[in-house]
Amino acid sequence: MHLSRDIVLLITHSGDFFTIDRVSAALSKKGVKPIRLDTDKFPQQVQLVAHFNESRSYHTIEYDNYSISTKQVEAVWMRRIWEPELSAEIAPKFREACVRESKATLDGFWDSLKEARWVDDLERINYTNNKLRQLRIASEIGFVIPRTIVTNKAESAREFFHQVKGKMVSKLLTPISRSMESNSSFFLYTSTVKEEDLQDAESLRYCPMVFQEQIPKQQELRVVYVNGSVFVGALNADVYAAAKVDWRQPGVDIGAWQHHELPDEVVRRLKAFMGRFGLLFGALDFILTPSGEYVFLEINPVGEWGMLEKDLDLPIASAIANALICEKAG
């Protein structure tokens, strides 16, 4: 099927559901044609051709009974980029090359969409993913942040442990890989550090880690920012804090999400923070302490929000749809 009208391309993977469906439905209601591209299906089920000559360049792509040119794409929602699913018939010695070439080809496809409106641009997403940069900018715009060190030096980790009076957590700077998600590991999620854990801290010389002061929690907040609009879900920390530090771990009973309204000053700083990164979307984590202080933890520029729309009926999908098409209106 050839599509002649302007479209919005939704970049995701074949296992994605709910959020992708909600945004697709919201776009359709606004009279826009959403097209889903499952990146894990390239190259085996998605066909792509890049065209170049002296006067122009463009890409065409065929997948799921449609054929489009990049010239038809009005906007792009960068939801997820996934590893390609390759046939077991491919010899192991060729798999790495197939994956590498597939990723490079898709990178060229994203570049061919540079004239489209992105939520959000990949360069901005990659820039934002640096958690040390996040903390620096959060501090510069006035957010309260936890005391933090990043080190591969065992002595420094032990010193910091005593500086924060034994109230310390560890985390990684980069997202865990899909292959690691099924493993049970001290290093995968934000974890409480005990003094005995630091007996093996010499292993830091192989892999630096982030250590932070453990902040007392009244509530944990997932704050979703979409082009100036702010949506907040809150969890009562006492429901799970006795056993877990990170509510995102599988199997944690987090209780019910609740509505929450941020103070005007926090919203003002949030907008300034997002402006520094040039993002239209972001999912941010905060702690509300028992004394009423809002403490910034991190931002995920492609973070999850489906649970807030599902449980709290927050119109996040509609806001994303508006962000994707508003350039035409404004």
Side-chain angles (χ1 to χ4, degrees):
M1 176 175 62
H2 290 268
L3 301 167
S4 59
R5 59 186 298 184
D6 291 340
I7 63 175
V8 175
L9 191 62
L10 312 179
I11 299 173
T12 186
H13 62 92
S14 58
D16 198 10
F17 65 98
F18 188 75
T19 51
I20 191 81
D21 297 332
R22 298 287 289 219
V23 171
S24 181
L27 287 166
S28 295
K29 287 180 180 177
K30 299 174 189 299
V32 177
K33 179 66 177 180
I35 294 293
R36 173 176 178 152
L37 174 59
D38 293 319
T39 51
D40 54 318
K41 297 304 182 184
F42 181 79
Q44 291 201 179
Q45 296 181 40
V46 177
Q47 285 74 52
L48 188 151
V49 182
H51 306 260
F52 299 92
N53 59 36
E54 297 86 353
S55 59
R56 61 176 184 160
S57 64
Y58 66 98
H59 288 56
T60 56
I61 196 164
E62 297 177 12
Y63 174 57
D64 196 24
N65 296 319
Y66 65 76
S67 175
I68 64 170
S69 162
T70 50
K71 296 181 179 298
Q72 297 172 267
V73 177
E74 178 77 16
V76 180
W77 182 35
M78 177 49 67
R79 163 75 176 152
R80 289 285 187 273
I81 297 177
W82 224 241
E83 292 281 320
E85 291 181 358
L86 297 177
S87 170
E89 298 175 357
I90 299 175
K93 63 181 179 180
F94 298 127
R95 294 184 72 86
E96 182 180 347
C98 291
V99 169
R100 186 176 63 247
E101 291 300 299
S102 296
K103 288 181 176 179
T105 302
L106 281 180
D107 282 343
F109 180 57
W110 311 143
D111 180 70
S112 76
L113 293 164
K114 63 183 182 300
E115 300 301 324
R117 178 177 176 83
W118 284 70
V119 179
D120 272 296
D121 178 86
L122 268 172
E123 289 186 5
R124 295 186 186 275
I125 289 172
N126 292 333
Y127 180 83
T128 305
N129 271 328
N130 185 304
K131 287 184 167 47
L132 303 186
R133 183 178 292 121
Q134 293 179 19
L135 288 172
R136 174 179 62 81
I137 292 178
S139 179
E140 289 174 359
I141 60 94
F143 278 141
V144 178
I145 62 172
R147 284 188 286 174
T148 304
I149 67 165
V150 182
T151 187
N152 64 337
K153 185 178 178 183
E155 181 183 351
S156 295
R158 295 187 183 109
E159 288 176 357
F160 186 71
F161 182 84
H162 293 293
Q163 289 171 13
V164 297
K165 298 180 172 55
K167 301 292 186 182
M168 187 167 88
V169 298
S170 65
K171 60 172 66 173
L172 296 175
L173 281 174
T174 57
I176 62 176
S177 71
R178 292 168 61 196
S179 62
M180 294 171 65
E181 287 178 350
S182 60
N183 297 337
S184 176
S185 171
F186 170 77
F187 298 102
L188 297 192
Y189 296 92
T190 301
S191 306
T192 301
V193 179
K194 299 182 175 61
E195 192 157 21
E196 54 265 31
D197 295 324
L198 294 174
Q199 292 175 3
D200 296 328
E202 297 301 331
S203 62
L204 286 171
R205 69 182 182 273
Y206 303 116
C207 180
M209 288 196 72
V210 182
F211 298 98
Q212 286 187 325
E213 167 190 19
Q214 187 171 355
I215 304 298
K217 305 173 184 177
Q218 176 178 311
Q219 291 185 315
E220 287 209 55
L221 308 177
R222 171 53 60 99
V223 178
V224 178
Y225 174 96
V226 187
N227 197 25
S229 298
V230 179
F231 308 91
V232 187
L235 294 173
N236 286 329
D238 56 3
V239 172
Y240 62 93
K244 304 287 183 180
V245 174
D246 192 334
W247 60 265
R248 293 165 293 188
Q249 294 188 53
V252 177
D253 182 6
I254 61 174
W257 287 96
Q258 302 172 14
H259 290 277
H260 186 89
E261 187 171 346
L262 296 175
D264 291 343
E265 182 61 23
V266 174
V267 172
R268 185 190 66 77
R269 288 175 177 159
L270 172 59
K271 292 180 177 180
F273 178 82
M274 297 301 290
R276 289 283 295 272
F277 287 105
L279 293 174
L280 295 174
F281 174 89
L284 304 94
D285 291 324
F286 286 82
I287 288 174
L288 177 61
T289 70
S291 64
E293 190 171 52
Y294 289 83
V295 180
F296 169 89
L297 298 180
E298 63 181 17
I299 176 176
N300 184 337
V302 291
E304 294 295 342
W305 49 268
M307 64 285 193
L308 303 187
E309 177 147 336
K310 182 178 180 182
D311 294 352
L312 302 177
D313 200 29
L314 296 175
I316 300 172
S318 181
I320 292 172
N322 284 336
L324 286 163
I325 64 176
C326 73
E327 190 169 64
K328 235 180 182 181

